[in-house]
Amino acid sequence: MTVTAPAALSTAGTLGTLYVYGIAPAGIRPPRAPGVDGAAVRLLTEAGLCAAVSDAPASVRARRRDLMAHQAVLGELAAQGPVLPMRFAVLTPDAAALCAQLRSDRAHLTEQLDGVRGCVEMNVKGAVVPGYFADLVRRDDTLRALARRARHRPGYEANVRLGEALAKGVAREARDAAREVLARLTPLAVRTARGPVDDEQVLSTSFLVRSADEQRFRQAVTAQARDVGDRLTLSVTGPLPCYSFVDAQSAPAGR
């Protein structure tokens, strides 16, 4: 499991404030792993649901040990069944407020849990391969003409035009490769969630994959990495808690 640290944050805790890790069906065992800031994790049960919580520290910062503790608690919950994971540093004012939300949102939360039951999240990213020029120039008439011009009449302007054209061509090829990868991987997932992309990272998609299909999904990513490796560098992270497939409504009030 890969943990990526978010930007540092500081959220003041007050007496009674609880740190929330996730929501699961009632009846699961409390996690043994210590929570954020070493706090003991306990379960609040209401309306057939339970929330894994601990006392909130005076401040919550994105330190590696706390990020790892957050993930460890979620890992124990996920090993027992479906869980709606909260992102790092979600707080609720007190136990009464959280239990009230479990009651009022029971139908929505139960639907969310059913939607991720037996599944994990796999995240696939694709980055542009720099220097992918030779084959591209051979196949593109415009690039060949610019390359000839730069050779026959070398100069700053010709080199700039060629460089800009090559950069656009490489990015275009990488985006085409990303579409190929998505077309191959999407049928293997229950759902997908697109993430932010830019000129360098042209693919960032999370896949909700049935746990039984995780190995098959990994093999498909490996095969795609070979097929598009001259245009796109692929990486896969997971299994992860299903962060990307939890409705924002599932987060407790008072974050």
Side-chain angles (χ1 to χ4, degrees), residues 10-244:
S10 177
T11 306
T14 57
L15 185 63
T17 301
L18 298 177
Y19 184 105
V20 187
Y21 300 86
I23 297 169
I28 64 171
R29 300 182 306 277
R32 294 183 178 181
V36 169
D37 203 37
V41 179
R42 60 190 186 275
L43 300 177
L44 292 180
T45 301
E46 187 74 31
L49 300 169
C50 66
V53 302
S54 64
D55 292 337
S59 64
V60 183
R61 295 185 180 277
R63 296 172 296 195
R64 178 174 175 80
R65 67 184 182 188
D66 286 336
L67 292 166
M68 295 295 289
H70 182 94
Q71 292 289 79
V73 170
L74 287 173
E76 285 198 42
L77 295 174
Q80 300 182 62
V83 59
L84 305 182
M86 298 298 110
R87 295 191 181 275
F88 186 79
V90 169
L91 305 179
T92 191
D94 52 46
L98 183 52
C99 287
Q101 186 171 358
L102 292 179
R103 288 194 302 272
S104 63
D105 293 350
R106 179 180 182 278
H108 176 71
L109 294 170
T110 300
E111 181 183 11
Q112 291 277 293
L113 285 165
D114 288 342
V116 299
R117 188 180 300 275
C119 296
V120 295
E121 179 172 331
M122 306 293 287
N123 180 261
V124 178
K125 288 183 169 56
V128 173
V129 176
Y132 171 64
F133 298 140
D135 186 57
L136 183 59
V137 170
R138 282 195 297 271
R139 291 186 288 104
D140 190 300
D141 293 340
T142 300
L143 286 175
R144 281 202 308 276
L146 287 171
R148 283 197 300 269
R149 192 174 306 160
R151 284 197 306 271
H152 296 154
R153 294 184 179 179
Y156 176 77
E157 185 175 344
N159 289 335
V160 168
R161 287 183 179 178
L162 177 60
E164 290 176 345
L166 283 171
K168 290 179 181 177
V170 168
R172 183 181 64 249
E173 294 280 322
R175 287 191 294 269
D176 288 345
R179 284 190 285 270
E180 293 173 25
V181 171
L182 284 173
R184 175 66 181 87
L185 298 181
T186 297
L188 304 178
V190 178
R191 282 187 284 158
T192 63
R194 302 285 183 91
V197 297
D198 54 35
D199 291 341
E200 297 299 323
Q201 183 174 282
V202 297
L203 172 63
S204 177
T205 300
S206 288
F207 297 82
L208 186 67
V209 177
R210 298 197 184 282
S211 298
D213 294 333
E214 180 189 336
Q215 190 58 36
R216 180 185 175 203
F217 184 85
R218 287 185 181 280
Q219 291 169 349
V221 174
T222 299
Q224 286 298 290
R226 287 195 300 265
D227 291 346
V228 303
D230 57 344
R231 296 170 287 163
L232 193 66
T233 299
L234 292 183
S235 63
V236 59
T237 302
L240 299 166
C242 303
Y243 289 112
S244 301

